[in-house]
Each structure stands twice: as C-alpha cells, then as structure tokens.
Amino acid sequence: MVHAFIMVKTAAGKSEGLLAEIDGLESVAEAHIVAGNYDIIAEVDAPEVYDVLQTVSSSVQGLGGVTDTKTYIAMA
C-alpha cells in the first residue's frame, strides 16, 4: 500500500467546491482546506505508486479550478 499527500493550489474562490470533489475521489482517504502555499491537502491510499500518479494526473489535475499540484509519497 502506498500512502501519499497531494498538495493542491486552486483558483481564487474555488477551494470549497474542489474540496468536495477531491474528497469524493475513490483513493482519497481525507482532504482538508489549509492555510499556506497550497489550498487543499489530500491524503491518498493506493495499491501502487502508479495508482497515486493516476489519481493526481487524471483525476485531481483534470478538475476545473486546480492550478497546481505537488505530490509527496510517505516513506514510512
């Protein structure tokens, strides 16, 4: 099992709507609006690294209002 964190930057005023969409994705365990350089942090659990990358590239980055993402894979 791969555990990862996806940091998501959103367009102005889009965070709340995107939070619901991101939190509803199958591999997303939790998602939260945060203060800082990114607007949303999503916690992902997936069988393989490929599945995490698929979630980011196909699902999260394809949502309207997402302007940038950064993915961190948990090592332990």
Side-chain angles (χ1 to χ4, degrees):
M1 182 66 73
V2 178
H3 193 75
F5 298 90
I6 303 170
M7 311 317 193
V8 182
K9 257 185 205 177
T10 67
K14 298 289 186 178
S15 295
E16 287 187 23
L18 283 168
L19 177 66
E21 290 186 69
I22 291 169
D23 201 25
L25 297 173
E26 183 179 340
S27 59
V28 174
E30 291 186 50
H32 303 277
I33 292 177
V34 295
N37 291 333
Y38 286 85
D39 303 302
I40 297 172
I41 295 178
E43 194 170 352
V44 173
D45 289 314
E48 302 287 336
V49 171
Y50 173 81
D51 299 311
V52 172
L53 299 177
Q54 188 73 18
T55 297
V56 175
S57 64
S58 295
S59 300
V60 176
Q61 290 177 346
L63 297 172
V66 171
T67 61
D68 188 29
T69 63
K70 187 168 284 213
T71 304
Y72 295 93
I73 305 290
M75 300 303 289

